[in-house]
Amino acid sequence: MLIDVHTKISKILKQHPDALEAIISIHAKFEKLRNPLLRKIMAARTTIGQAASIGGVPPEKFFEKLTPLGFEVDHHASADIPDPLPAPTAFLKEVSPADTITLDVRPIIEAGEDPLSLITTHTKSLKKGAVLRIINTFEPTPLIALLAKQGFISYVERVSADEVVTYFQKKEDRPPVPDVPENKTEGWDRIAEAYKDRTRTVDVRHMEMPVPMMTILESLATLPDDAALHVYHKRIPVFLLPELKEKKFDYRIKELSGSEVHLLIFKEK
Amino acid sequence: MIPATHTGITRTTSYKVVLPFYLYAGLAFLAASVLLFFSTTAFTQHYFHPRTLAITHIMALGWGTMIILGASHQLVPVLIEGKLYSNVLAYLSFGFAAVGIPVLCYGFFVFSFNGLTQAGALCIIAAVLFYIINIGISMVQSGRENVQAVFVFTAMLWLLITIIVGYFLLFNFTHTILSKDSLHYLPLHAHLGIIGWFLLLVMGVASKLIPLFLISKYQNREMLWWVFGLTNFALISFIVFFLFFESSLLYFIPVAAIATALVLFAFFCSKAYKDRLRKKVDNPVKISLLSVIMMGLPLLALAALIGISLTAVNNYRLVLAYGFCILFGWITAIILGMTFKTLPFIIWNKIYHARAKAGRTPNPKDLFSDRVFKWMCLFYLAGFMLFTAGILTSLVWMLQAGAVLLLLVALFYNGNMWKALAHKPKDNE
């Protein structure tokens, strides 16, 4: 597998079982990856470049550890992590304490939960110019990249080895970018991840109409309630969709090309 | 059977190709029903009447043919598991037909068969040629043969013959090129269109779509080949009898062949219906199935006509009722149903194919109003029956009442279609 600074940690962990220990050995901060839930949510959001910045190590450290496991490094790609502003003074002075919200997410992460939804409820309601102060144990590089897309500027202050304070200021009222599927709790990747060990697969690409629809419906008839059906299809089966709604199934569709479509079908919640 | 390893290129035809045809057809239906309302007295007279000719051609070309052209650009690639050869040819086909149809129909309306009207007819021939070339190449490229594709392709050839014959009839008004007057050849032109184009095409496509929409495993290729053979035999024998024999009695042979084909096809549909997985049949499919039963009405009228013609009485009321049952009956019923079984899905695909990864998407069925659809169907059945009764009794008030209802149907139809077209995704979807 070819990797570079943009490669997601989750992809690497999926590729090789030993990659987890290799990454944890780089920095103590990555110990959190041992927690299966945090690993699931954090690793999917974080690239090598971002992880390197969290750990305060150069990305080469990752490449060094991963090459022995069979990963190949693509050195052409360059990091594009937004640089946090050099000095906090410029915007912090202008903001009154009333316009500053402080969130200490350390206990949430300690408990093995995902703080993202809590953070986004605050960023959504934040007024222009107001500041969100997040206290964490590491530099939240993926969050900085995400909020930069939504019009936030940021500043990182390392208080101690275990305390990093990040300031986010809303510069403009840009609506959240809608097509960041990986950050949506509703998106394909999250649902695929959630049903990871309970997914059945059916390939209907070689079948002639109307056999694909029958096959899918027959497979769904025997699908346990807590499982998902992963369908390989040639096109989006539009006539199947009302049928799914009728039978109280929800679905996500991933269109790889005009002739390759994946469907993930699961019970509505 | 299809080899199981096949993973060729299949691609959904762009909505940009298909939607203009649908919109045009909807407006043509509206125009025809407005004209119908203002021409009710024409339906108490001989069928060779300028207004009747204009309405017939708006319905047959603007409504029936346009929507079939649009839908088949979408459906044929699905049937043959290939992709449409050319979008440009599809646009050309639309453009020429869109210009030619109103020019031709205006010519009928004012009863003028000059160069302009003939140019309109030539535009329609060009449109059909572009269509045949496009679909033909798509079929050859896919390299697959199935009974439905053969139905469609044969129907396209009959359409071409129909409009070429139509063009000669038009030309014959101003320059005598045929041995008899154009009125004499009208039955030939009409049946080439009705049987060769509409009936073959509808049965071919429906034999694939009805089992699909009912979610039925029922298949019977052999029976469909019989339907295909009988229909073509009926049409060819009719042409031969028409051109070379004078006896009306002989016409019972093609009628019997068509009747057998229709019974077989109805049997095919009823088997598919009985074997269906989906217990609750939705409204658009119901009205489409009803249209299969409605195919029997013109057949009855036809049998009655031939029976009467043996007594040498030319009954123009029955001829009018016959034509009306086909264009406003069977063909309209199937289009009313199938539009709302195809259009919302085309629009859904346009809007949501790229979004369906990120989150929930609405049900394609909810893009149009089911309530408006139901009312449309009720008004349609009432309007159709009233108008048919009006033709048979020559009662103008009955014709007018029927025409008002059909006009409302056209308004509901267009309104619901525009509702689906105007669908905007919600942000959280």
Side-chain angles (χ1 to χ4, degrees):
Chain A
M1 182 184 168
L2 199 63
I3 55 169
D4 60 31
V5 285
H6 302 297
T7 309
K8 289 256 157 66
I9 300 293
S10 56
K11 288 244 172 80
I12 297 168
L13 296 181
K14 210 173 165 187
Q15 182 73 21
H16 203 296
D18 295 341
L20 180 65
E21 286 306 321
I23 292 172
I24 291 170
S25 73
I26 295 172
H27 198 284
K29 287 221 164 121
F30 302 136
E31 282 286 338
K32 278 186 276 298
L33 288 174
R34 287 196 199 279
N35 177 324
L37 193 103
L38 280 180
R39 183 164 71 232
K40 206 181 267 182
I41 52 186
M42 296 293 188
R45 263 180 227 155
T46 313
T47 63
I48 290 187
Q50 291 170 336
S53 141
I54 290 171
V57 294
E60 283 69 30
K61 204 78 182 167
F62 279 79
F63 301 148
E64 251 170 54
K65 291 277 183 187
L66 291 172
T67 2
L69 298 178
F71 291 93
E72 278 175 70
V73 181
D74 180 2
H75 290 287
H76 299 291
S78 59
D80 62 345
I81 302 147
D83 291 324
L85 287 187
T89 45
F91 68 83
L92 288 182
K93 269 183 190 162
E94 295 160 21
V95 182
S96 69
D99 277 339
T100 305
I101 297 167
T102 302
L103 276 181
D104 188 347
V105 298
R106 285 174 299 186
I108 300 173
I109 291 181
E110 213 58 55
E113 279 161 27
D114 182 7
L116 183 66
S117 57
L118 178 70
I119 294 171
T120 46
T121 51
H122 283 283
T123 54
K124 268 185 198 155
S125 59
L126 219 56
K127 280 184 298 187
K128 192 178 161 186
V131 168
L132 179 67
R133 197 168 155 257
I134 289 178
I135 305 171
N136 201 355
T137 51
F138 58 88
E139 186 181 329
T141 322
L143 184 67
I144 292 172
L146 172 70
L147 290 181
K149 280 187 198 155
Q150 298 178 12
F152 284 84
I153 54 166
S154 53
Y155 169 74
V156 181
E157 189 184 359
R158 287 178 189 278
V159 180
S160 70
D162 281 327
E163 189 180 344
V164 177
V165 181
T166 315
Y167 299 88
F168 293 99
Q169 187 183 33
K170 201 170 203 171
K171 269 297 174 200
E172 48 194 302
D173 278 320
R174 214 189 293 168
V177 187
D179 53 1
V180 210
E182 270 173 317
N183 291 309
K184 281 200 170 186
T185 49
E186 290 253 283
W188 170 288
D189 294 343
R190 284 297 197 86
I191 287 160
E193 192 66 35
Y195 284 99
K196 210 172 88 189
D197 307 318
R198 290 163 288 141
T199 302
R200 292 187 186 178
T201 307
V202 58
D203 185 350
V204 300
R205 283 174 298 185
H206 58 282
M207 295 172 187
E208 200 185 352
M209 278 203 324
V211 190
M213 173 124 104
M214 319 250 346
T215 310
I216 295 169
L217 290 174
E218 279 164 6
S219 310
L220 288 175
T222 59
L223 189 75
D225 275 358
D226 62 341
L229 184 69
H230 188 159
V231 182
Y232 293 75
H233 214 298
K234 275 188 295 198
R235 61 169 69 78
I236 297 180
V238 280
F239 295 121
L240 175 72
L241 307 182
E243 227 48 51
L244 295 180
K245 297 255 166 164
E246 192 119 304
K247 295 186 188 313
K248 302 271 179 281
F249 282 103
D250 200 351
Y251 52 82
R252 296 295 176 268
I253 299 168
K254 190 153 77 173
E255 198 178 21
L256 300 180
S257 71
S259 58
E260 189 161 11
V261 170
H262 289 217
L263 278 98
L264 199 60
I265 305 171
F266 50 96
K267 267 274 179 231
E268 251 175 25
K269 286 199 186 98
Chain B
M1 274 304 284
I2 307 300
T5 50
H6 174 82
T7 46
I9 306 163
T10 59
R11 191 171 302 151
T12 311
T13 305
S14 165
Y15 65 92
K16 287 181 200 146
V17 170
V18 184
L19 293 185
F21 287 99
Y22 274 78
L23 288 178
Y24 193 95
L27 294 176
F29 181 41
L30 187 61
S33 49
V34 169
L35 207 54
L36 192 71
F37 177 70
F38 288 109
S39 314
T40 43
T41 49
F43 284 86
T44 61
Q45 297 163 41
H46 192 274
Y47 57 85
F48 198 75
H49 185 286
R51 298 221 163 176
T52 312
L53 282 176
I55 292 172
T56 304
H57 285 86
I58 298 175
M59 287 300 283
L61 294 170
W63 171 236
T65 300
M66 274 307 235
I67 211 143
I68 293 176
L69 294 193
S72 58
H73 282 112
Q74 172 96 21
L75 284 175
V76 168
V78 177
L79 287 181
I80 59 174
E81 316 231 332
K83 71 182 202 61
L84 187 68
Y85 168 64
S86 159
N87 284 0
V88 176
L89 282 175
Y91 291 132
L92 280 173
S93 179
F94 174 76
F96 275 90
V99 173
I101 293 169
V103 170
L104 178 79
C105 294
Y106 177 76
F108 283 123
F109 188 74
V110 297
F111 222 58
S112 149
F113 306 112
N114 57 17
L116 185 69
T117 310
Q118 288 174 21
L122 286 177
C123 280
I124 298 169
I125 294 180
V128 171
L129 280 174
F130 288 130
Y131 167 67
I132 294 182
I133 293 169
N134 202 3
I135 300 291
I137 296 179
S138 310
M139 284 180 176
V140 170
Q141 280 186 344
S142 89
R144 302 174 147 234
E145 249 180 56
N146 62 35
V147 54
Q148 284 87 8
V150 176
F151 267 84
V152 172
F153 195 77
T154 316
M156 294 194 307
L157 295 181
W158 284 120
L159 172 66
L160 186 64
I161 296 170
T162 308
I163 56 172
I164 289 174
V165 170
Y167 178 75
F168 280 123
L169 296 187
L170 198 61
F171 200 71
N172 197 43
F173 279 116
T174 44
H175 308 74
T176 307
I177 49 163
L178 301 170
S179 58
K180 292 191 173 136
D181 64 278
S182 291
L183 180 59
H184 171 79
Y185 295 101
L186 219 51
L188 186 69
H189 172 61
H191 286 97
L192 283 169
I194 294 164
I195 307 293
W197 168 233
F198 285 118
L199 185 62
L200 264 186
L201 187 120
V202 166
M203 290 195 300
V205 173
S207 67
K208 193 82 182 181
L209 290 188
I210 286 179
L212 178 76
F213 291 152
L214 291 171
I215 316 181
S216 168
K217 250 185 192 160
Y218 181 71
Q219 287 202 4
N220 194 333
R221 274 155 212 274
E222 203 186 341
M223 190 185 280
L224 291 177
W225 280 117
W226 270 103
V227 171
F228 179 79
L230 281 166
T231 311
N232 281 289
F233 165 77
L235 191 51
I236 293 167
S237 67
F238 168 72
I239 297 168
V240 171
F241 296 149
F242 184 86
L243 292 177
F244 305 111
F245 299 90
E246 289 288 316
S247 166
S248 294
L249 200 58
L250 280 174
Y251 289 151
F252 274 117
I253 294 170
V255 172
I258 284 291
T260 315
L262 288 183
V263 168
L264 284 180
F265 183 70
F267 181 74
F268 177 91
C269 293
S270 75
K271 279 291 266 185
Y273 185 80
K274 277 180 197 139
D275 279 6
R276 74 191 192 277
L277 269 187
R278 170 195 233 158
K279 289 300 160 222
K280 215 175 124 235
V281 178
D282 61 26
N283 288 324
V285 172
K286 268 187 208 154
I287 193 104
S288 306
L289 286 172
L290 179 71
S291 83
V292 174
I293 299 165
M294 280 168 85
M295 285 156 111
L297 283 180
L299 206 65
L300 271 179
L302 194 63
L305 262 178
I306 298 173
I308 290 169
S309 71
L310 292 175
T311 61
V313 181
N314 197 347
N315 192 322
Y316 61 82
R317 282 184 193 172
L318 258 181
V319 176
L320 273 173
Y322 172 63
F324 186 80
C325 283
I326 289 170
L327 287 173
F328 279 87
W330 167 59
I331 289 174
T332 298
I334 206 156
I335 298 177
L336 293 182
M338 280 300 143
T339 300
F340 295 103
K341 205 63 205 172
T342 52
L343 182 78
F345 296 86
I346 294 168
I347 294 170
W348 187 95
N349 219 345
K350 164 194 158 197
I351 299 177
Y352 293 105
H353 76 101
R355 289 168 178 253
K357 181 177 179 248
R360 295 170 72 96
T361 49
N363 192 341
K365 237 172 70 174
D366 296 336
L367 265 58
F368 68 94
S369 157
D370 205 44
R371 207 159 54 104
V372 173
F373 183 86
K374 261 187 213 150
W375 280 106
M376 178 184 80
C377 292
L378 289 175
F379 279 36
Y380 165 70
L381 288 177
F384 169 72
M385 287 193 281
L386 266 178
F387 203 93
T388 311
I391 291 173
L392 293 173
T393 55
S394 287
L395 289 172
V396 174
W397 67 265
M398 206 182 264
L399 289 168
Q400 280 170 339
V404 169
L405 289 174
L406 289 172
L407 182 59
L408 286 172
V409 171
L411 288 172
F412 283 165
Y413 176 87
N414 277 281
N416 226 350
M417 183 158 75
W418 284 96
K419 179 187 154 75
L421 278 170
H423 177 83
K424 288 269 174 303
K426 292 190 190 99
D427 281 340
N428 56 359
E429 280 166 352

